[in-house]
Amino acid sequence: MRDPAAFRELSALLPGQVKADEPMALHTTWRIGGPADIFVEPAGLEELARAVTWVHRRGLPVYFIGNGSNLLVRDGGIRGVVVKIGRGLSWHRVGETTIVAGAGMGLGTLAALAQAGGIGGFEFSPGIPGTVGGAVVMNAGANGSCMADLVQEVLVMNRAGELERLPAASLQFGYRTSSLLGGSLVVVEVTCRGVKKDPASIAREMKRYLERRRATQPLSYPSAGSVFKNPPQHAAGWLIERAGCKGLREGDAQVSLVHANFIVNLGRATARDVESLIRQVQQRVYLQFGILLNLEVQILGEEEAG
Ligand SMILES: Cc1cc2nc3c(=O)[nH]c(=O)nc-3n(C[C@H](O)[C@H](O)[C@H](O)COP(=O)(O)OP(=O)(O)OC[C@H]3O[C@@H](n4cnc5c(N)ncnc54)[C@H](O)[C@@H]3O)c2cc1C
């Protein structure tokens, strides 16, 4: 353990919610990632405030994560504190056309609430394995829709543990990005607005999208979804396939044979393997098309020493 005193202090503040040297592979959908020095999953809002104010006082680096479905954590792990926004922050209130959801709620649960409540607009979201908070920060989307179409406002917490409401217009939503990405605020609650719609037709549309996903994505291996953003000219997957990268392998990381913009973990892939594949794909696509593919996945942590 790197900092036993810090671990003891935070554990005393948040009993049962803090772990030391926690393998991040347990908290990413890629099943890859070295240990976080200190890992905390707050049981509620009050506990989150205690964690962020303590981290701030201690001057330690802090990283907020949701379901880790868009994250590559390097093999050397994360120095500092990882705060997982999960079950402890997953309340909800459903109105006529609005849903207020805690940031730790799964996007699939949000979609199910919308369907049951006859609120349309969320049809694109089942199958995206993130939390509501992560989805807003990344402006997750599919099938021509995205979170920016739904979000009215977010409730965020700053490093002093204070809450603030931010209207959607201030969030600078773009293609898989927002002003919240890489910032110091943690999203704790999101207010979404949809439109009144027949629950049965919502269910049909969700089923159709999910079936298309199952047919076109390699869902039997761990991954982080699309690795690269689509450049304006072409889909990244098309470029990667045309550049002859499908099936390219480094250790147990492989450019998926099913969907070329996915890199799958065939078993024991390391972040080093994935990063090496990322560079190879970027190089080949650049040489063939003169297009530099930018990452959609977020990379955190340090390379393994030696
Ligand atoms: C099989 C598969 C399919 C996918 N399909 C899609 C798709 O169709 N469309 C799409 O857009 N994405 C897709 N993704 C990627 C991913 O699911 C989304 O980006 C998702 O929104 C990430 O949410 P998360 O909770 O997992 O965030 P994480 O991966 O944990 O974090 C992502 C970023 O958000 C930040 N963050 C997370 N939660 C918070 C919070 N509460 N407050 C502040 N910052 C926070 C993190 O610091 C990080 O920078 C897919 C992934 C997989 C594995």
Side-chain angles (χ1 to χ4, degrees), residues 64 66-71 128-131 135 140-141 176 181 187 213 223 225:
F64 300 107
N67 198 36
S69 64
N70 203 43
L71 291 183
I128 301 179
T131 59
R176 303 295 169 266
L181 186 58
V187 178
R213 235 173 230 284
S223 80

Side-chain angles (χ1 to χ4, degrees), residues 125-150:
S125 63
I128 301 179
T131 59
V132 170
V136 171
V137 171
M138 291 303 303
N139 189 19
N143 307 302
S145 304
C146 60
M147 291 306 290
D149 304 332
L150 300 168

